[in-house]
Amino acid sequence: MTLTDLRYLVALARERHFGHAAERCNVSQPTLSVAIKKLEEELAVTLFERSAADVKITDIGARIVAQAEKVLLEAGQIKELATAGRDPLSGPLKLGVIYTIGPYLLPHLIPRVHAAAPSMPLLIQENYTARLAESLKRGDLDVIVVALPFEEPGIVTQAVYDEPFRVLLPAGHGWESEERIPASRLAEAPLLLLGAGNCFRDQVLEACPLCRPGEGLQRTLEGSSLETIRHMVATGAGITVLPSTAADALPGGNSLLTVRPFTTPEPFRRVALAWRVTYPRSGAIDVIRAAILDSPLAGVKPVGSPGRLG
Amino acid sequence: MTLTDLRYLVALARERHFGHAAERCNVSQPTLSVAIKKLEEELAVTLFERSAADVKITDIGARIVAQAEKVLLEAGQIKELATAGRDPLSGPLKLGVIYTIGPYLLPHLIPRVHAAAPSMPLLIQENYTARLAESLKRGDLDVIVVALPFEEPGIVTQAVYDEPFRVLLPAGHGWESEERIPASRLAEAPLLLLGAGNCFRDQVLEACPLCRPGEGLQRTLEGSSLETIRHMVATGAGITVLPSTAADALPGGNSLLTVRPFTTPEPFRRVALAWRVTYPRSGAIDVIRAAILDSPLAGVKPVGSPGRLG
DNA sequence: CCCATGTATAGTTAAAGCCTATCGCCATCG
DNA sequence: CGATGGCGATAGGCTTTAACTATACATGGG
């Protein structure tokens, strides 16, 4: 029993004439005749009473035809589902973002994605890089926004923008007079850092090789956020390093805080999109990337498409 | 897209492993692999994300699988319908009976059929032979009970029993002293007959060649019934001829009426079943025939199966 | 009794469905 | 870092099937 057989069956039930039904199905009369016969044999019931005068459907035949129509209807729904789902911009996209990007990117990103792809709602999760990577591989997420380096088997990564780091000082700090701060001097200060697991912490430490967590006056804030650290800096608990998108987007005229760039070469992090190589909705990823680049992110430099990294 | 494809699809969605899904479908892994690929091409959507680690179903894939399951479920219902409908004794049987048999046969027939085939309700229609024949050919009836001769193209007829005719006299009639009445004498009497269209009328006239409707004292009762005629005989309006099943089943001890057989050779009519040659539920017909023969019909002689007439 | 109509059958061909064998990819492990 | 093993994709060949054309067969009507 195939869907074709059922189509023949329904056509014959409608036409009550093998020739006409065959014509309607664009097949020859013997084709339809044989198909119906086979179907009757398979089901071991007589579906039609044939006679020279006309074709009559049996009682059981009528019931089976009704059911066959239901089957064909449901099968047709599959095609419709496929047509509707063919657009990569239709259906929800599960997006993951690391903690140190989410708060500064998402307010810009979300409305832009919604404008570009209204029927693609974003399901957003913020987490550490490692957790996001896991979810991505499991399929709980479709795309993630992370900082490089990020390499996972089966995952492709595409750099989107670089963002420089900034030094955040409490108002009145001695370094306020400096235009730019050399990274090496961070070792001198009480540096507030995020806890382990935040990639940004590692990147700051990498930018300032002399800083060693646990040594000197640096303090690590486990399970905290850049926002918390910023408030601590404002209270004079120390200084910190922020990505430009977090530092430059300070509420205008915050007199308690001062932002200073690093001396060149500025330390920076490269932010990238990542997804499974097998992920089929590349169009959706393009929309995300475009929306990120369209966002007014302070201090960032877009990384051209040639800069795609594997 | 075939039902087989959908089965593969559902299996793969369940197993998330081409090899295992193939095994469950009793096909080789390449077979399933190719089938899924073709399905994806046909629908122009990616249903699964394949990777070395595992197989993930896409969002749209999951929706299509759900729909495919619905299709397969409905298709399975067809088989169940067929199985249920395979029994010829299941489902209603549309039975037609001529007016001059129905009242005497059906009270016996119906309970017997119900006992033999409880799931085969009888839908009964009483009418003239010509009307029954028309309905039978149209398919509005499945089987009819008529008196022979009855020949129609595409219709097979099987004799079931012969029933002799009887003379019905009002009590006190001059012929009451006779044990048997010769058919020829009917011409002498005021003979009450059914109207044209009732085959029994023609059979009586055939049995009594000297009787001519409209001549002598015979009266024709258009649109009437044997019961009405019987009551008229009881009031002395004339005499009549009845089939034995109608005559001998008189309410016991009806002192107003007298029944007399004809002299041999008794005139009789042959009652038969008829159905379309194409009618598939021969088992149902057998039940009807058996139920008729099992009925206590006064005076009838069963016609052996060899007596089947074309 | 032949003809018209309609379905079933025969015979053939093209396609499809399936199998075995093998490739290629990737992740894991010694 | 190369070997290994699991897994899906691909290739080639075979069998089945579904389609066609031509024709036989059945039946009701002129």
Side-chain angles (χ1 to χ4, degrees):
Chain A
M1 185 173 65
T2 72
L3 289 174
T4 305
D5 292 336
L6 299 186
R7 271 185 279 271
Y8 294 165
L9 173 64
V10 169
L12 181 56
R14 282 211 226 289
E15 300 286 336
R16 318 243 148 165
H17 186 289
F18 280 74
H20 299 166
E23 192 175 357
R24 177 172 288 240
C25 295
N26 299 309
V27 294
S28 69
Q29 170 264 314
T31 296
L32 194 134
S33 197
V34 169
I36 295 291
K37 183 176 185 150
K38 281 188 59 180
L39 192 59
E40 286 182 323
E41 283 171 7
E42 179 180 347
L43 297 177
V45 293
T46 303
L47 300 172
F48 296 94
E49 287 185 45
R50 295 106 157 129
S51 68
D54 60 349
V55 173
K56 291 183 186 60
I57 191 159
T58 62
D59 198 359
I60 176 67
R63 267 176 289 163
I64 287 181
V65 164
Q67 185 64 24
E69 284 172 334
K70 214 186 281 183
V71 172
L72 293 175
L73 198 80
E74 298 289 358
Q77 289 295 317
I78 289 183
K79 295 222 160 199
E80 292 199 21
L81 275 177
T83 306
R86 202 163 297 161
D87 177 10
L89 302 186
S90 124
L93 182 83
K94 289 166 286 184
L95 178 70
V97 188
I98 55 175
Y99 287 129
T100 54
I101 295 180
Y104 316 105
L105 171 63
L106 295 176
H108 304 298
L109 181 70
I110 291 172
R112 282 170 176 75
V113 170
H114 180 71
S119 55
M120 182 175 77
L122 292 179
L123 302 180
I124 288 170
Q125 185 196 333
E126 287 184 80
N127 218 317
Y128 302 118
T129 299
R131 298 281 184 82
L132 295 180
E134 201 178 320
S135 293
L136 182 64
K137 289 203 273 190
R138 244 206 325 271
D140 293 345
L141 290 175
D142 297 324
V143 192
I144 62 176
V145 178
V146 293
L148 298 185
F150 180 75
E151 293 196 21
E152 291 284 339
I155 304 294
V156 285
T157 307
Q158 179 187 34
V160 180
Y161 63 83
D162 293 336
E163 68 176 328
F165 294 166
R166 304 280 194 245
V167 181
L168 190 66
L169 308 169
H173 189 278
W175 297 354
E176 230 176 1
S177 57
E178 318 261 342
E179 194 66 27
R180 291 174 174 271
I181 313 292
S184 55
R185 292 188 62 184
L186 289 180
E188 308 166 9
L191 186 62
L192 302 176
L193 286 180
L194 290 174
N198 279 290
C199 62
F200 183 64
R201 168 197 168 92
D202 304 326
Q203 287 155 353
V204 170
L205 292 176
E206 191 182 349
C208 167
L210 296 177
C211 304
R212 283 282 158 266
E215 300 176 19
L217 296 170
Q218 307 94 358
R219 329 246 176 96
T220 288
L221 290 89
E222 296 291 347
S224 191
S225 70
L226 293 180
E227 291 308 297
T228 301
I229 289 182
R230 192 162 71 184
H231 288 121
M232 291 184 67
V233 171
T235 64
I239 68 169
T240 196
V241 173
L242 293 181
S244 66
T245 54
D248 301 352
L250 291 180
N254 186 329
S255 55
L256 295 175
L257 292 168
T258 300
V259 176
R260 286 288 177 273
F262 282 95
T263 54
T264 53
E266 289 181 301
F268 70 98
R269 67 175 178 181
R270 179 158 285 184
V271 173
L273 287 173
W275 61 91
R276 295 182 297 281
V277 273
T278 54
Y279 188 64
R281 292 168 64 186
S282 56
I285 296 170
D286 294 341
V287 166
I288 298 292
R289 178 184 162 86
I292 292 175
L293 292 175
D294 187 44
S295 298
L297 299 175
V300 313
K301 282 170 291 187
V303 177
S305 272
R308 178 188 280 226
L309 307 178
Chain B
M1 185 172 65
T2 72
L3 290 173
T4 306
D5 293 336
L6 298 186
R7 271 185 280 270
Y8 294 166
L9 173 65
V10 169
L12 182 55
R14 284 211 225 288
E15 300 286 337
R16 317 244 148 163
H17 186 291
F18 279 73
H20 299 166
E23 192 175 356
R24 178 172 287 242
C25 294
N26 300 310
V27 295
S28 69
Q29 171 263 314
T31 296
L32 193 135
S33 196
V34 169
I36 296 291
K37 183 177 184 148
K38 281 187 59 178
L39 193 57
E40 286 182 323
E41 282 170 7
E42 180 179 345
L43 297 177
V45 293
T46 303
L47 300 172
F48 296 94
E49 287 185 47
R50 293 104 156 132
S51 67
D54 60 349
V55 173
K56 290 182 186 63
I57 191 159
T58 63
D59 198 2
I60 176 67
R63 268 176 289 163
I64 287 181
V65 164
Q67 186 63 26
E69 282 171 334
K70 214 186 280 184
V71 173
L72 293 175
L73 197 80
E74 297 290 359
Q77 289 296 316
I78 289 184
K79 294 219 163 202
E80 292 200 20
L81 275 176
T83 306
R86 203 164 298 162
D87 178 11
L89 302 186
S90 123
L93 182 83
K94 288 166 287 183
L95 177 70
V97 188
I98 55 174
Y99 287 128
T100 54
I101 295 181
Y104 316 106
L105 171 63
L106 293 176
H108 305 296
L109 181 70
I110 291 172
R112 283 169 174 77
V113 169
H114 180 71
S119 55
M120 183 175 76
L122 292 179
L123 302 180
I124 289 170
Q125 185 196 333
E126 288 183 79
N127 217 318
Y128 301 118
T129 300
R131 297 279 183 82
L132 294 180
E134 201 179 322
S135 293
L136 182 64
K137 288 203 274 189
R138 242 205 327 271
D140 294 344
L141 290 175
D142 298 323
V143 192
I144 61 176
V145 179
V146 293
L148 298 185
F150 180 75
E151 292 195 23
E152 291 284 336
I155 304 295
V156 285
T157 309
Q158 180 188 33
V160 181
Y161 64 84
D162 292 335
E163 68 176 329
F165 295 167
R166 305 277 192 244
V167 181
L168 189 66
L169 308 169
H173 190 275
W175 296 354
E176 227 175 1
S177 56
E178 318 263 340
E179 195 66 26
R180 292 174 173 271
I181 312 290
S184 54
R185 290 189 61 184
L186 289 180
E188 307 168 9
L191 186 63
L192 301 176
L193 285 180
L194 290 173
N198 279 291
C199 62
F200 183 64
R201 167 197 169 93
D202 304 323
Q203 288 155 353
V204 171
L205 291 176
E206 192 181 346
C208 166
L210 295 177
C211 304
R212 282 282 159 268
E215 298 175 19
L217 294 170
Q218 308 94 356
R219 329 249 175 93
T220 289
L221 289 90
E222 297 291 346
S224 192
S225 71
L226 293 181
E227 292 306 299
T228 301
I229 289 182
R230 192 163 71 186
H231 288 122
M232 291 185 66
V233 170
T235 64
I239 69 169
T240 195
V241 173
L242 292 181
S244 66
T245 55
D248 298 355
L250 291 180
N254 187 327
S255 55
L256 297 174
L257 292 167
T258 300
V259 176
R260 284 289 175 274
F262 281 95
T263 53
T264 52
E266 287 180 303
F268 69 97
R269 66 177 179 181
R270 178 158 285 183
V271 173
L273 287 172
W275 60 90
R276 294 182 297 281
V277 274
T278 55
Y279 187 66
R281 294 168 64 185
S282 56
I285 296 171
D286 293 341
V287 165
I288 297 293
R289 177 183 161 86
I292 292 175
L293 291 175
D294 187 45
S295 298
L297 298 176
V300 311
K301 282 169 291 186
V303 176
S305 275
R308 178 189 278 227
L309 306 178

